[in-house]
Every structure is written in C-alpha cells, then in structure tokens.
Amino acid sequence: MRILSRSHAWPILGPAQIRQLEPALQALSPTPLMQSAGLACAQLALAVAPHAQRIWVAAGPGNNGGDGLEAALHLHQWGKDVVVSLAASERSPADAQAALQRAQQAGVCIRSGVPTEWLRAMAAQDLCVDALLGIGATRPLSADLRACVQAMQICAAPVLAIDVPTGLNPQSGQWLDGDSGGSLCVQAHHTLSLISVQAGLLMGHGRDASGQIWLEDLGYRPSQHHLAPLAWLNAPYASAPKTHASHKGSHGDVAVVGGEGLATHGMGMSGAAILAATAALHAGAGRVMLSLLSGPASDSVPPDVMQREFNRLELEKLHVVCGCGGGTAVQAVLLEVLQRSAQLVLDADGLNAVAQDRPLQNALRQRANLQGASLTTVLTPHPLEAARLLDCNTAQVQNDRLKAAQELAERFQCSVILKGSGTVIAAPGHAPRINTSGNGRLATGGTGDVLAGLVGARMAQGLSAFGAACAAVAQHGQVADDWPQEKALTANRLARRLA
C-alpha cells in the first residue's frame, strides 16, 4: 500500500477493466480478494487513526460493503469498538454475503440504520469508514444512503472511504445528485483505491472530496497484466539545463499573436498576449516575438520580448501561440496562422473563432494532412470552449472529460489540453494523461494565457506537441503547488516563476 504520488506513473482503469482483472488477480492469491481488500482497509484505518476507540463502518449492499465488513471483522478482533450499519439486499453478491457471515460469526455489532446516539459519542480521534458504494456508482443516492452520508458529515470523526467517497461519480468526479450533490457527498479525509485509482478521484469535485488517496494494488502489475488503461497519471516535469555550447537559436523562436485593442469593444486585452509572451520568455524560449492585434506597440511589454507586426512574422519558421486576448480581431489572421505556422498553440479566442467557422475548422484539420497536426498543434480549451468545439454543453464535457478530450483530439487530429480540475491531455494514438498538480489558486484571470505561452516554449525547445502539453501542464500546476501560502498568486507572478 502506498500514497498515490504524482511521481508514480500508474494506469487508471475503469470498472469494466477492474472486473476483467479480478479473476486473474484471484488466481495469483490463495486469499479471496475481498478479504485482502478488507485487511488492507483495516490496516490503513489503524494507520490514519491509531488512537481510535470507536469505528463506525457504513456498509452498502454490494462488494464495497463486503470490503467494509471484512475490515470491521479485523478491527473488532484487534480490540476496537466497531459498529456496522448495513444496507442489506437480497441481491448482494456471494462474496459480500460471505463477508457478512464472517463478520457475524466473529461477533461484530451489525445494525440497520444510523446509530445516532453511538455516533454522538465519537471524537476526533475515532473513525468513520465509508463502504457504501463502489466504483460502479452512477445513480443518485437512496434515502438510507443519504442518511449515512449526512451522519458522516456531522460526525466529529474523520472519514476513510473505500474506493470512492459516496455521492461522487467515480468516473467523472461530478456529483451523483447533480448540482445539489455537494451537500450529499462524503468529504473523505482518506480514500483507499483498490487495484487502480478511479478517474473521478482526480478530476472535478473528486480532488476535494477524496482527501489523501492511497493505493492497494492487490497484486496488479501493469507490466504483467497487459490491459490498455483509460488514462495514465501525468508525470512531473523534469527540467534539463541548457548546454554550455547552446545559443538563442538552439531553443527556438516563439511568436505570440493576440491582444485585441481597447477601441474594438471597449475592453483592451493586450495583457493576455503579453502574459503568454512573458511565460514563453521565462520558460526559456530562445527568442520571443509579440504581435499585438491592437496595432500600436505597448510600453508594458518586457524589454526582452521583440514586438513585430503580424505581416512581418515568418510563420513557417515559428512556434506560434495564437488567440490569447484575441477577441474578434483574431479572425482576420487566423486562417493564415493555421495554414502557415510551423507549430501552433491555439488558445482562447482562437478556439472560439474555430468553433463558429467551418472553413477554419477545415483548415485546422488540413494541418494534419499537410504536416501532421497531432505532432505540431496543441489546443488548450477550458470546458466551455471544448463544448463549443464539440457542439455540446459544458455539463456533457464535465461528465466525461476523458471522452471529450479524446474526441477533440481525434476530430482535429491535434494534441488537446482540456483545462480544469484534473486537466486532461489527449492526442491521437496516445492514452490520455490526467494531471494532478495545481490547485484552486490557478482559478484567476490570465493563468491560461501563461499555460499557452509555456506550451509554446516547450515545443520550441524540441518537445513534440503531446510531450510539450504534458510537461507544461505538470510544471504550471507544480509552480502553483509550491507557491508560498502567504503570497497572492497572480498570472504575472506565475509567468515570471517559470524556468
């Protein structure tokens, strides 16, 4: 058992894949998998709550509840005061029924319903174990499950969830009860993933609801069990020093095209393009050029950044970042950018322009035919921009972020960064990556422009589109994670911290 670490490249499997694996894993072990899972849960319970006297296990009717019953058996035998609330069902799986019989024979106290008075006596040193719903949960909670969730929310003791906190969709990280589900979800302090971590723990609301994620693989070895994963955890960014014999031409030229002027709509957006250029500069691009669609040069541009008129850019030789603060002005240059740019990061208003213009969509697809867009092009949408490109709504994107990112990648034959909680990086021919660095401090204006400039710099330094996307997203989030708590994080400060 281990803490799930960003430095550990672990495959992410779905419920069907885990069920496919279980017979093979069982064949390797003389102990039933449910008993092994229950023992692991009990051991983790002692590790995270070593002074607990009272432990409440809320057990559902399926295999997740069976894991909880097996854990309760061990904790009872180890001298803990354990009470199980069991949501029984005549259709419980055979393994769960066997776990119930074992717990009963061991003398574990098993009740129906919430033991309200007993819970009131629990203290912060005690523990609740959420074993209500497992990895197949897709429907809103029943009344008895809601009662258990609400009891955990008001209990003084912390919560250890098995597989996934109840109320959270294990695949999407969204609430099972829709928009109101936040009030009907277990907020776990620890979550124990069995065999493989579920995607929903790493995306959406899952990152807040899951607490510290632990992994017990139960014998699963990716190198031995050849099973294509839904996704992989994104690896941390590892910087490489510039060689002594290098020069500015060794690290590529980035051109940032964007920044609509104040006169167009009464709101100047040149700052977005300047942020992207600043990020590319501090991330180590050899030279950075800025072409502001607002026209006149800006005094706020860093002196290290060269300003160029758009018609003076040799796009065929450049790594172009287009769209940051581009407004409607970007439409006038976007077709040329799509047709001529050697490598391209398309962000913000560049994406919006493509979403509403079929000729631009065709030009984006043609990049794949002409020069392999999956190797030369990165799209960086947030969920609303992704929805516009896919002609759907934001909820549909958020309900299956892996699918949405992969569909965008296939549709436009590009690498795609679907931003948000648990950013997804996808590309044709690659299993998606889910990034777990970063935090809510990135939810401020301009940080997306910084990411676009950072991707451009990594491409200029020789990484493929997909490799640059993975590296930039990991680094972007890590800078936010390392940011001093006492200092406000702004996009400008973020851009200047890159290296």
Side-chain angles (χ1 to χ4, degrees), residues 397-409:
V397 170
Q398 294 293 74
N399 285 336
D400 199 336
R401 289 172 55 80
L402 290 174
K403 178 182 177 183
Q406 200 66 40
E407 186 176 341
L408 274 175

Side-chain angles (χ1 to χ4, degrees), residues 192-213:
L192 175 61
S193 291
L194 299 169
I195 299 178
S196 173
V197 66
Q198 294 299 294
L201 302 184
L202 309 174
M203 296 190 294
H205 302 295
R207 297 187 67 191
D208 293 316
S210 302
Q212 178 65 65
I213 300 174

Side-chain angles (χ1 to χ4, degrees), residues 157-205:
V159 179
L160 166 62
I162 304 178
D163 280 329
V164 61
T166 298
L168 185 76
N169 185 307
Q171 302 310 304
S172 69
Q174 301 302 299
W175 306 126
L176 290 176
D177 278 59
D179 293 339
S180 64
S183 61
L184 293 168
C185 180
V186 169
Q187 298 294 319
H189 298 75
H190 300 270
T191 297
L192 175 61
S193 291
L194 299 169
I195 299 178
S196 173
V197 66
Q198 294 299 294
L201 302 184
L202 309 174
M203 296 190 294
H205 302 295

Side-chain angles (χ1 to χ4, degrees), residues 5 47 53 65 132 197 230 234 277 286 310 362 375 390 401 403:
S5 169
Q53 296 301 313
L132 291 169
V197 66
L230 293 178
N234 191 33
F310 178 75
N362 292 335
L375 300 176
L390 292 171
R401 289 172 55 80
K403 178 182 177 183

